[in-house]
């Protein structure tokens, strides 16, 4: 993880091979092999990684999702650990997330900072678009960090909480218990938040729920996977995204 962050990499992949666990770094949608963890210490690594992430190291047949905090250059890096069973054994993906800041600390020009602050004060949808691991969640969390919590109620809906945000009501989905995005979106209006953050938009149903929330005088912040502005516009022209237009 230290090596990955040093190389500005935010996704690590561990796959089984005859050598043990082969380590890959993924950056700019390209996968680079970085070496391997020997068979002799493979099982020790997995037990340590799962224990740190709050996962059950005795379970290998079903996917698991956990996290732990790694300190790098005196800043917290959240490591989200995903396990997935395959015919060759468990595959691990570790995604790294930087500690959020606030709008004034973002490395953007003053005009854009003012624009973001204005967006947070208006009803509607703030759509944060970009490629995979480009920093969408970092920007979303930084926006939430910048809200004046004295007169705004902020609620998040997340598959896993990446950072604990001060004075923000953060909600973690529990699929096993039947608490999914659809149910959370249905009942969140009863909590009467002013600002809502959800993770990446995945379905037409998600879009419908978010659009309805934005029409209730709320600000909705969400993410959208798009490699470029041209791809974003093309996707938004689709029938399933008419609610956003």
């Amino acid at each position: 993880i230290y090596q990955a962050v040093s190389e500005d990499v935010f996704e690590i992949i561990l796959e089984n091979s005859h050598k043990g666990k082969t380590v890959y770094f993924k950056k700019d949608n390209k996968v680079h092999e970085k070496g391997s963890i020997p068979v002799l210490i493979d099982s020790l690594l997995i037990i340590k990684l799962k224990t740190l992430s709050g996962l059950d190291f005795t379970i290998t047949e079903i996917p698991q999702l956990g996290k732990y905090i790694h300190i790098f250059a005196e800043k917290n890096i959240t490591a989200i650990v995903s396990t997935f069973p395959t015919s060759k054994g468990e595959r691990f993906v570790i995604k790294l997330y930087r500690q959020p800041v606030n709008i004034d600390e973002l490395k953007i020009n003053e005009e854009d900072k003012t624009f973001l602050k204005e967006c947070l004060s208006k009803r509607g949808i703030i759509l944060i678009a970009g490629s995979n691991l480009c920093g969408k969640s970092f920007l979303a969390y930084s926006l939430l960090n910048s809200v004046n919590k004295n007169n705004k109620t902020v609620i998040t809906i997340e598959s896993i909480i990446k950072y604990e945000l001060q004075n923000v009501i953060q909600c973690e989905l529990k699929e096993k218990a039947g608490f999914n995005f659809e149910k959370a979106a249905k009942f969140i209006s009863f909590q009467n938040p002013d600002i809502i953050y959800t993770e990446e938009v995945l379905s037409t149903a998600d879009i419908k729920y978010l659009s309805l929330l934005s029409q209730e005088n709320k600000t909705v912040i969400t993410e959208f996977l798009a490699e470029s502005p041209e791809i974003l516009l093309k996707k938004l022209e689709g029938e399933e995204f008419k609610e956003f237009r």
Side-chain angles (χ1 to χ4, degrees):
I1 289 176
Y2 182 90
Q3 183 182 349
V5 178
S6 299
E7 296 181 19
D8 203 27
V9 170
F10 296 95
E11 184 170 345
I12 304 167
I13 301 166
L14 305 177
E15 291 185 348
N16 286 329
S17 70
H18 66 279
K19 302 175 185 177
K21 279 279 190 297
T22 303
V23 181
Y24 301 93
F25 284 0
K26 187 172 183 180
K27 184 177 182 179
D28 300 328
N29 289 323
K30 295 180 180 178
V31 177
H32 307 274
E33 184 175 339
K34 304 299 287 188
S36 61
I37 296 161
V39 175
L40 286 174
I41 62 171
D42 183 5
S43 59
L44 294 175
L45 163 75
I46 298 312
I47 291 173
K48 182 68 172 179
L49 183 58
K50 285 188 172 182
T51 302
L52 282 172
S53 309
L55 303 178
D56 188 337
F57 63 82
T58 66
I59 294 177
T60 59
E61 298 84 7
I62 59 174
Q64 294 189 80
L65 190 64
K67 68 177 177 181
Y68 75 96
I69 304 297
H70 180 80
I71 307 299
F72 178 82
E74 299 183 352
K75 291 186 178 181
N76 291 339
I77 298 291
T78 296
I80 304 295
V81 180
S82 170
T83 71
F84 194 83
T86 75
S87 59
K88 295 181 179 179
E90 281 188 300
R91 184 178 191 265
F92 288 75
V93 173
I94 305 170
K95 293 190 177 183
L96 308 176
Y97 294 87
R98 293 173 291 163
Q99 187 170 336
V101 293
N102 58 54
I103 291 176
D104 290 325
E105 295 174 292
L106 292 173
K107 295 179 181 179
I108 57 177
N109 61 50
E110 293 301 320
E111 184 178 348
D112 288 337
K113 291 178 183 178
T114 301
F115 173 73
L116 288 175
K117 290 176 182 177
E118 289 175 352
C119 288
L120 283 175
S121 65
K122 297 178 180 178
R123 186 195 80 174
I125 296 174
I126 299 175
L127 191 61
I128 302 175
S131 59
N132 189 34
L133 294 175
C134 72
K136 298 188 295 295
S137 296
F138 170 76
L139 178 56
Y141 266 58
S142 296
L143 292 181
L144 297 174
N145 233 6
S146 306
V147 176
N148 183 352
K149 315 301 191 308
N150 293 326
N151 55 18
K152 298 280 187 181
T153 300
V154 183
I155 295 182
T156 73
I157 303 174
E158 308 174 65
S159 58
I160 190 165
I161 294 170
K162 302 171 187 70
Y163 279 98
E164 300 289 341
L165 297 172
Q166 191 172 6
N167 297 322
V168 172
I169 303 163
Q170 292 176 272
C171 168
E172 199 167 85
L173 299 177
K174 304 292 182 185
E175 294 286 347
K176 290 182 180 179
F179 184 49
N180 54 21
F181 176 82
E182 182 178 350
K183 188 163 288 187
K186 181 179 179 181
F187 286 95
I188 197 171
S189 59
F190 289 96
Q191 299 296 318
N192 198 26
D194 300 293
I195 297 176
I196 302 162
Y197 163 68
T198 72
E199 294 172 329
E200 187 177 333
V201 177
L202 296 175
S203 70
T204 304
D206 294 352
I207 296 161
K208 183 177 180 180
Y209 284 124
L210 297 182
S211 298
L212 290 173
L213 289 170
S214 70
Q215 292 168 22
E216 295 176 5
N217 203 31
K218 303 182 189 305
T219 303
V220 177
I221 302 172
T222 191
E223 301 169 21
F224 193 83
L225 183 63
E227 303 293 332
S228 67
E230 292 76 22
I231 293 174
L232 171 63
L233 291 173
K234 188 173 182 180
K235 284 186 174 183
L236 292 178
E237 288 172 357
E239 183 65 22
E240 67 271 27
F241 295 109
K242 65 181 181 180
E243 299 283 353
F244 268 0
R245 298 197 293 270

